[in-house]
mmCIF file of all heavy atoms in Angstrom:
data_model
loop_
_atom_site.group_PDB
_atom_site.id
_atom_site.type_symbol
_atom_site.label_atom_id
_atom_site.label_comp_id
_atom_site.label_asym_id
_atom_site.label_seq_id
_atom_site.Cartn_x
_atom_site.Cartn_y
_atom_site.Cartn_z
ATOM 1 N N LEU K 15 133.585 218.826 105.471
ATOM 2 C CA LEU K 15 134.823 218.988 104.706
ATOM 3 C C LEU K 15 135.892 219.636 105.570
ATOM 4 O O LEU K 15 135.586 220.465 106.430
ATOM 5 C CB LEU K 15 134.579 219.904 103.502
ATOM 6 C CG LEU K 15 133.922 219.288 102.261
ATOM 7 C CD1 LEU K 15 133.758 220.372 101.199
ATOM 8 C CD2 LEU K 15 134.737 218.134 101.704
ATOM 9 N N TYR K 16 137.149 219.314 105.286
ATOM 10 C CA TYR K 16 138.290 219.989 105.928
ATOM 11 C C TYR K 16 138.128 220.057 107.448
ATOM 12 O O TYR K 16 138.368 221.094 108.061
ATOM 13 C CB TYR K 16 138.471 221.400 105.357
ATOM 14 C CG TYR K 16 138.380 221.435 103.870
ATOM 15 C CD1 TYR K 16 137.375 222.159 103.233
ATOM 16 C CD2 TYR K 16 139.265 220.706 103.089
ATOM 17 C CE1 TYR K 16 137.260 222.154 101.857
ATOM 18 C CE2 TYR K 16 139.159 220.696 101.713
ATOM 19 C CZ TYR K 16 138.152 221.415 101.102
ATOM 20 O OH TYR K 16 138.032 221.394 99.748
ATOM 21 N N GLY K 59 130.422 222.009 105.507
ATOM 22 C CA GLY K 59 130.485 222.149 104.059
ATOM 23 C C GLY K 59 130.405 220.807 103.348
ATOM 24 O O GLY K 59 130.513 219.746 103.973
ATOM 25 N N GLY K 60 130.205 220.877 102.038
ATOM 26 C CA GLY K 60 130.119 219.641 101.272
ATOM 27 C C GLY K 60 130.367 219.898 99.804
ATOM 28 O O GLY K 60 130.105 220.994 99.305
ATOM 29 N N GLU K 61 130.879 218.886 99.139
ATOM 30 C CA GLU K 61 131.047 218.986 97.681
ATOM 31 C C GLU K 61 129.671 219.081 97.033
ATOM 32 O O GLU K 61 128.680 218.661 97.615
ATOM 33 C CB GLU K 61 131.747 217.721 97.175
ATOM 34 C CG GLU K 61 133.156 217.582 97.674
ATOM 35 C CD GLU K 61 133.656 216.143 97.549
ATOM 36 O OE1 GLU K 61 133.049 215.370 96.794
ATOM 37 O OE2 GLU K 61 134.633 215.825 98.223
ATOM 38 N N ASP K 62 129.664 219.564 95.774
ATOM 39 C CA ASP K 62 128.387 219.698 95.056
ATOM 40 C C ASP K 62 127.588 218.387 95.107
ATOM 41 O O ASP K 62 126.379 218.400 95.307
ATOM 42 C CB ASP K 62 128.630 220.047 93.577
ATOM 43 C CG ASP K 62 129.167 221.466 93.392
ATOM 44 O OD1 ASP K 62 129.446 222.140 94.398
ATOM 45 O OD2 ASP K 62 129.313 221.879 92.223
ATOM 46 N N GLN K 65 126.015 217.973 98.449
ATOM 47 C CA GLN K 65 124.909 218.926 98.620
ATOM 48 C C GLN K 65 123.671 218.415 97.877
ATOM 49 O O GLN K 65 122.551 218.505 98.366
ATOM 50 C CB GLN K 65 125.298 220.295 98.056
ATOM 51 C CG GLN K 65 126.307 221.044 98.910
ATOM 52 C CD GLN K 65 126.787 222.301 98.188
ATOM 53 O OE1 GLN K 65 127.604 222.229 97.276
ATOM 54 N NE2 GLN K 65 126.285 223.445 98.604
ATOM 55 N N ILE K 92 128.659 226.259 107.371
ATOM 56 C CA ILE K 92 129.922 226.454 106.653
ATOM 57 C C ILE K 92 129.745 226.121 105.174
ATOM 58 O O ILE K 92 129.205 225.063 104.821
ATOM 59 C CB ILE K 92 131.024 225.533 107.234
ATOM 60 C CG1 ILE K 92 131.100 225.610 108.762
ATOM 61 C CG2 ILE K 92 132.384 225.842 106.595
ATOM 62 C CD1 ILE K 92 131.607 226.882 109.344
ATOM 63 N N CYS K 93 130.228 226.987 104.328
ATOM 64 C CA CYS K 93 130.402 226.762 102.893
ATOM 65 C C CYS K 93 129.177 226.130 102.213
ATOM 66 O O CYS K 93 128.195 226.819 101.974
ATOM 67 C CB CYS K 93 131.683 225.947 102.673
ATOM 68 S SG CYS K 93 132.336 226.148 101.003
ATOM 69 N N GLY K 94 129.219 224.826 101.912
ATOM 70 C CA GLY K 94 128.082 224.202 101.233
ATOM 71 C C GLY K 94 126.785 224.348 102.011
ATOM 72 O O GLY K 94 125.700 224.492 101.424
ATOM 73 N N GLN K 97 125.581 227.958 101.577
ATOM 74 C CA GLN K 97 124.911 228.146 100.282
ATOM 75 C C GLN K 97 123.466 227.662 100.338
ATOM 76 O O GLN K 97 122.558 228.308 99.802
ATOM 77 C CB GLN K 97 125.689 227.393 99.195
ATOM 78 C CG GLN K 97 127.092 227.938 98.980
ATOM 79 C CD GLN K 97 127.966 227.032 98.107
ATOM 80 O OE1 GLN K 97 127.655 225.859 97.903
ATOM 81 N NE2 GLN K 97 129.070 227.576 97.611
ATOM 82 N N TYR K 103 121.606 227.582 94.986
ATOM 83 C CA TYR K 103 122.990 227.426 94.549
ATOM 84 C C TYR K 103 122.934 226.781 93.168
ATOM 85 O O TYR K 103 122.432 225.658 93.028
ATOM 86 C CB TYR K 103 123.777 226.558 95.542
ATOM 87 C CG TYR K 103 125.145 226.112 95.051
ATOM 88 C CD1 TYR K 103 125.975 226.989 94.344
ATOM 89 C CD2 TYR K 103 125.615 224.830 95.301
ATOM 90 C CE1 TYR K 103 127.229 226.587 93.896
ATOM 91 C CE2 TYR K 103 126.869 224.417 94.865
ATOM 92 C CZ TYR K 103 127.671 225.302 94.159
ATOM 93 O OH TYR K 103 128.905 224.906 93.715
ATOM 94 N N ARG K 127 137.845 229.409 91.003
ATOM 95 C CA ARG K 127 137.641 228.755 92.297
ATOM 96 C C ARG K 127 138.388 229.549 93.371
ATOM 97 O O ARG K 127 139.518 229.997 93.141
ATOM 98 C CB ARG K 127 138.148 227.311 92.210
ATOM 99 C CG ARG K 127 137.605 226.458 93.287
ATOM 100 C CD ARG K 127 137.685 224.975 93.083
ATOM 101 N NE ARG K 127 137.110 224.374 94.281
ATOM 102 C CZ ARG K 127 135.818 224.117 94.444
ATOM 103 N NH1 ARG K 127 134.957 224.349 93.474
ATOM 104 N NH2 ARG K 127 135.375 223.632 95.588
ATOM 105 N N ASN K 150 137.621 227.131 100.168
ATOM 106 C CA ASN K 150 137.752 226.333 98.946
ATOM 107 C C ASN K 150 136.358 226.137 98.363
ATOM 108 O O ASN K 150 135.633 225.221 98.748
ATOM 109 C CB ASN K 150 138.388 224.970 99.247
ATOM 110 C CG ASN K 150 138.644 224.192 97.959
ATOM 111 O OD1 ASN K 150 138.260 224.622 96.866
ATOM 112 N ND2 ASN K 150 139.279 223.040 98.087
ATOM 113 N N HIS K 151 135.977 227.037 97.463
ATOM 114 C CA HIS K 151 134.618 226.962 96.913
ATOM 115 C C HIS K 151 134.578 227.507 95.493
ATOM 116 O O HIS K 151 135.334 228.419 95.139
ATOM 117 C CB HIS K 151 133.632 227.752 97.799
ATOM 118 C CG HIS K 151 134.024 229.179 98.069
ATOM 119 N ND1 HIS K 151 133.411 230.247 97.462
ATOM 120 C CD2 HIS K 151 134.965 229.724 98.876
ATOM 121 C CE1 HIS K 151 133.954 231.384 97.899
ATOM 122 N NE2 HIS K 151 134.911 231.092 98.761
ATOM 123 N N GLY K 152 133.677 226.914 94.701
ATOM 124 C CA GLY K 152 133.451 227.403 93.346
ATOM 125 C C GLY K 152 132.297 228.392 93.328
ATOM 126 O O GLY K 152 132.218 229.261 92.460
ATOM 127 N N GLY K 153 131.386 228.248 94.287
ATOM 128 C CA GLY K 153 130.216 229.133 94.342
ATOM 129 C C GLY K 153 130.604 230.553 94.705
ATOM 130 O O GLY K 153 131.494 230.770 95.535
ATOM 131 N N TYR K 191 132.219 231.051 104.458
ATOM 132 C CA TYR K 191 133.043 230.156 103.637
ATOM 133 C C TYR K 191 134.262 229.642 104.402
ATOM 134 O O TYR K 191 135.044 228.871 103.856
ATOM 135 C CB TYR K 191 133.484 230.879 102.351
ATOM 136 C CG TYR K 191 132.420 230.782 101.280
ATOM 137 C CD1 TYR K 191 131.752 231.908 100.820
ATOM 138 C CD2 TYR K 191 132.073 229.549 100.744
ATOM 139 C CE1 TYR K 191 130.764 231.810 99.855
ATOM 140 C CE2 TYR K 191 131.088 229.434 99.784
ATOM 141 C CZ TYR K 191 130.440 230.555 99.342
ATOM 142 O OH TYR K 191 129.461 230.423 98.400
ATOM 143 N N HIS K 193 136.457 227.448 106.396
ATOM 144 C CA HIS K 193 136.743 226.166 107.037
ATOM 145 C C HIS K 193 137.956 226.444 107.928
ATOM 146 O O HIS K 193 138.277 227.567 108.256
ATOM 147 C CB HIS K 193 137.117 225.104 105.991
ATOM 148 C CG HIS K 193 136.049 224.791 104.997
ATOM 149 N ND1 HIS K 193 135.064 223.866 105.227
ATOM 150 C CD2 HIS K 193 135.818 225.250 103.743
ATOM 151 C CE1 HIS K 193 134.284 223.756 104.163
ATOM 152 N NE2 HIS K 193 134.716 224.589 103.249
HETATM 153 N N1 LIG Y 301 130.352 222.706 96.598
HETATM 154 C C1 LIG Y 301 130.441 224.052 96.989
HETATM 155 C C2 LIG Y 301 131.349 224.918 96.166
HETATM 156 O O1 LIG Y 301 132.332 224.431 95.623
HETATM 157 C C3 LIG Y 301 130.806 224.093 98.471
HETATM 158 C C4 LIG Y 301 132.199 223.572 98.735
HETATM 159 C C5 LIG Y 301 132.524 223.529 100.219
HETATM 160 O O2 LIG Y 301 131.665 223.295 101.069
HETATM 161 N N2 LIG Y 301 133.807 223.694 100.526
HETATM 162 O O3 LIG Y 301 131.098 226.091 96.081
#
Side-chain angles (χ1 to χ4, degrees):
L15 280 179
Y16 315 117
E61 294 161 18
D62 290 5
Q65 287 172 283
I92 311 291
C93 202
Q97 296 169 343
Y103 169 41
R127 198 162 179 88
N150 185 355
H151 54 105
Y191 275 115
H193 298 274

